[in-house]
Amino acid sequence: MTEQFVYGARDESAMVNFGEALGRACAGRGVIFLEGDLGMGKTTLCRGVLRAYGHHGSVKSPTYTLVEPYDLGGRRLYHFDLYRLADPEELEYLGIRDYFEDDDLCLIEWPQRGAGWLPRPDLEVAISIEGQGRSIECHAQTARGQQILASLLADNDRIAKQG
Protein backbone atom coordinates (compact mmCIF):
# COMPACT_ATOMS: atom_id res chain seq x y z
CA MET A 1 0.00 0.00 0.00
CA THR A 2 1.09 3.57 -0.69
CA GLU A 3 2.21 5.44 2.42
CA GLN A 4 3.87 8.53 0.94
CA PHE A 5 3.37 10.87 -2.00
CA VAL A 6 5.66 13.81 -2.83
CA TYR A 7 4.76 16.62 -5.22
CA GLY A 8 6.60 19.77 -6.29
CA ALA A 9 4.38 22.82 -6.82
CA ARG A 10 6.18 25.51 -8.79
CA ASP A 11 3.67 28.29 -8.09
CA GLU A 12 0.31 29.18 -6.52
CA SER A 13 -1.64 27.77 -9.45
CA ALA A 14 0.13 24.42 -9.09
CA MET A 15 -0.65 24.43 -5.35
CA VAL A 16 -4.36 25.01 -6.06
CA ASN A 17 -4.34 22.29 -8.73
CA PHE A 18 -2.73 19.83 -6.34
CA GLY A 19 -5.31 20.76 -3.69
CA GLU A 20 -8.07 20.03 -6.18
CA ALA A 21 -6.53 16.62 -6.93
CA LEU A 22 -6.27 15.96 -3.19
CA GLY A 23 -9.92 16.93 -2.78
CA ARG A 24 -10.97 14.46 -5.48
CA ALA A 25 -8.84 11.75 -3.88
CA CYS A 26 -10.48 12.30 -0.48
CA ALA A 27 -13.97 11.74 -1.92
CA GLY A 28 -15.38 14.15 0.66
CA ARG A 29 -14.16 12.26 3.71
CA GLY A 30 -11.18 12.28 6.03
CA VAL A 31 -9.02 14.20 8.45
CA ILE A 32 -6.10 16.02 6.86
CA PHE A 33 -3.38 17.73 8.91
CA LEU A 34 -1.67 20.60 7.04
CA GLU A 35 1.77 21.43 8.37
CA GLY A 36 4.25 24.11 7.38
CA ASP A 37 5.54 27.51 8.37
CA LEU A 38 3.61 30.73 7.83
CA GLY A 39 3.24 31.55 4.16
CA MET A 40 3.86 28.01 2.89
CA GLY A 41 0.49 27.78 1.14
CA LYS A 42 -1.70 25.76 3.49
CA THR A 43 -4.75 27.96 2.86
CA THR A 44 -4.00 27.98 -0.88
CA LEU A 45 -4.02 24.19 -0.80
CA CYS A 46 -7.38 24.32 1.02
CA ARG A 47 -8.74 26.55 -1.75
CA GLY A 48 -7.93 23.80 -4.24
CA VAL A 49 -9.55 21.12 -2.10
CA LEU A 50 -12.71 23.21 -1.83
CA ARG A 51 -12.67 23.81 -5.59
CA ALA A 52 -12.89 20.03 -6.09
CA TYR A 53 -16.36 20.25 -4.49
CA GLY A 54 -17.56 23.25 -6.49
CA HIS A 55 -16.46 26.20 -4.33
CA HIS A 56 -15.05 28.98 -6.50
CA GLY A 57 -15.25 31.89 -4.06
CA SER A 58 -12.49 33.24 -1.90
CA VAL A 59 -11.06 31.11 0.88
CA LYS A 60 -9.69 32.90 3.91
CA SER A 61 -7.88 31.19 6.70
CA PRO A 62 -10.21 31.04 9.72
CA THR A 63 -7.47 32.30 12.02
CA TYR A 64 -9.81 34.15 14.38
CA THR A 65 -12.92 31.97 14.14
CA LEU A 66 -10.86 28.73 14.22
CA VAL A 67 -13.21 26.91 11.84
CA GLU A 68 -15.01 27.73 8.59
CA PRO A 69 -17.74 25.26 7.57
CA TYR A 70 -18.68 24.60 3.94
CA ASP A 71 -21.68 22.66 2.62
CA LEU A 72 -20.81 21.76 -0.95
CA GLY A 73 -22.47 19.25 -3.22
CA GLY A 74 -24.03 17.36 -0.34
CA ARG A 75 -20.71 17.21 1.51
CA ARG A 76 -19.67 18.91 4.74
CA LEU A 77 -16.14 20.27 4.78
CA TYR A 78 -14.48 22.06 7.68
CA HIS A 79 -11.40 24.25 7.38
CA PHE A 80 -9.67 24.73 10.74
CA ASP A 81 -6.82 27.12 11.51
CA LEU A 82 -5.49 26.58 15.01
CA TYR A 83 -2.61 29.08 14.77
CA ARG A 84 -4.07 31.44 17.38
CA LEU A 85 -5.19 28.72 19.76
CA ALA A 86 -3.72 29.59 23.16
CA ASP A 87 -4.47 26.24 24.82
CA PRO A 88 -5.56 22.97 23.17
CA GLU A 89 -8.29 22.63 25.80
CA GLU A 90 -10.10 25.53 24.09
CA LEU A 91 -11.08 22.99 21.43
CA GLU A 92 -13.34 21.28 23.96
CA TYR A 93 -15.33 24.53 24.34
CA LEU A 94 -15.54 24.76 20.56
CA GLY A 95 -17.20 21.33 20.52
CA ILE A 96 -14.38 19.94 18.40
CA ARG A 97 -15.56 16.33 18.61
CA ASP A 98 -18.80 17.24 16.81
CA TYR A 99 -16.88 18.13 13.64
CA PHE A 100 -15.27 14.78 13.03
CA GLU A 101 -18.08 12.68 11.61
CA ASP A 102 -17.10 9.81 9.33
CA ASP A 103 -18.71 11.42 6.27
CA ASP A 104 -17.05 14.85 6.68
CA LEU A 105 -13.77 16.23 5.38
CA CYS A 106 -11.71 18.21 7.89
CA LEU A 107 -8.67 20.24 6.83
CA ILE A 108 -6.62 21.36 9.83
CA GLU A 109 -3.88 23.99 9.68
CA TRP A 110 -1.47 24.08 12.64
CA PRO A 111 -2.68 20.73 14.07
CA GLN A 112 0.16 20.59 16.60
CA ARG A 113 -1.61 23.38 18.52
CA GLY A 114 -4.53 21.03 19.13
CA ALA A 115 -2.42 18.09 20.29
CA GLY A 116 -4.32 15.70 22.51
CA TRP A 117 -7.74 16.94 21.37
CA LEU A 118 -7.71 16.09 17.66
CA PRO A 119 -8.35 12.65 16.18
CA ARG A 120 -5.61 10.79 14.38
CA PRO A 121 -5.29 12.17 10.86
CA ASP A 122 -5.83 10.05 7.79
CA LEU A 123 -3.18 12.09 6.03
CA GLU A 124 -0.42 14.45 7.12
CA VAL A 125 0.58 17.02 4.49
CA ALA A 126 3.86 18.85 5.09
CA ILE A 127 4.62 21.88 2.91
CA SER A 128 8.11 23.36 2.67
CA ILE A 129 10.13 25.62 0.37
CA GLU A 130 11.73 23.96 -2.64
CA GLY A 131 13.58 26.40 -4.89
CA GLN A 132 11.04 29.02 -5.99
CA GLY A 133 8.11 26.70 -5.28
CA ARG A 134 6.94 24.26 -2.64
CA SER A 135 7.48 20.63 -1.81
CA ILE A 136 4.35 18.83 -0.63
CA GLU A 137 4.91 15.58 1.24
CA CYS A 138 1.85 13.50 2.04
CA HIS A 139 2.07 10.68 4.59
CA ALA A 140 -0.76 8.21 5.18
CA GLN A 141 -1.59 7.50 8.81
CA THR A 142 -4.62 5.24 8.32
CA ALA A 143 -6.09 2.85 5.76
CA ARG A 144 -8.23 5.74 4.46
CA GLY A 145 -5.05 7.80 4.09
CA GLN A 146 -3.50 5.00 2.07
CA GLN A 147 -6.56 5.00 -0.22
CA ILE A 148 -6.23 8.77 -0.68
CA LEU A 149 -2.56 8.39 -1.63
CA ALA A 150 -3.36 5.54 -4.01
CA SER A 151 -5.91 7.82 -5.73
CA LEU A 152 -3.34 10.61 -5.95
CA LEU A 153 -0.82 8.21 -7.45
CA ALA A 154 -3.40 7.05 -10.02
CA ASP A 155 -4.05 10.73 -10.87
CA ASN A 156 -0.32 11.56 -10.95
CA ASP A 157 -0.07 12.12 -14.72
CA ARG A 158 -2.83 14.76 -14.66
CA ILE A 159 -1.35 16.39 -11.53
CA ALA A 160 2.11 16.53 -13.12
CA LYS A 161 0.75 18.19 -16.29
CA GLN A 162 -0.97 20.88 -14.22
CA GLY A 163 1.93 21.43 -11.80
Side-chain angles (χ1 to χ4, degrees):
M1 249 325 176
T2 304
E3 294 186 15
Q4 179 178 347
F5 184 88
V6 179
Y7 174 75
R10 68 176 180 267
D11 56 22
E12 182 178 349
S13 177
M15 182 70 83
V16 171
N17 288 335
F18 178 78
E20 191 170 356
L22 178 60
R24 286 190 305 269
C26 289
R29 299 172 55 208
V31 176
I32 313 295
F33 283 7
L34 302 171
E35 301 167 344
D37 292 336
L38 284 171
M40 285 296 109
K42 296 179 294 293
T43 301
T44 301
L45 184 73
C46 288
R47 185 172 4 125
V49 172
L50 292 167
R51 188 193 314 177
Y53 299 96
H55 181 78
H56 292 283
S58 65
V59 175
K60 297 183 295 184
S61 188
T63 304
Y64 293 100
T65 59
L66 296 180
V67 62
E68 185 68 35
Y70 296 87
D71 285 311
L72 302 167
R75 299 278 187 194
R76 283 186 310 252
L77 292 85
Y78 298 102
H79 178 197
F80 295 86
D81 184 335
L82 306 182
Y83 181 73
R84 295 200 184 277
L85 195 67
D87 184 327
E89 194 170 334
E90 291 176 37
L91 293 173
E92 182 66 21
Y93 302 113
L94 180 67
I96 194 73
R97 288 178 177 87
D98 297 336
Y99 290 98
F100 296 99
E101 297 294 326
D102 196 46
D103 289 333
D104 296 341
L105 177 58
C106 296
L107 308 169
I108 306 167
E109 297 186 37
W110 302 97
Q112 67 275 22
R113 302 212 179 204
W117 293 91
L118 297 174
R120 181 177 184 203
D122 295 302
L123 198 66
E124 290 180 340
V125 178
I127 305 170
S128 59
I129 293 176
E130 181 178 86
Q132 298 297 317
R134 301 290 187 263
S135 174
I136 306 167
E137 293 184 26
C138 303
H139 298 274
Q141 300 299 315
T142 66
R144 180 181 288 164
Q146 290 175 337
Q147 291 171 345
I148 293 168
L149 291 185
S151 293
L152 281 173
L153 193 58
D155 202 17
N156 192 38
D157 289 339
R158 181 171 25 168
I159 296 169
K161 288 176 186 172
Q162 294 175 341

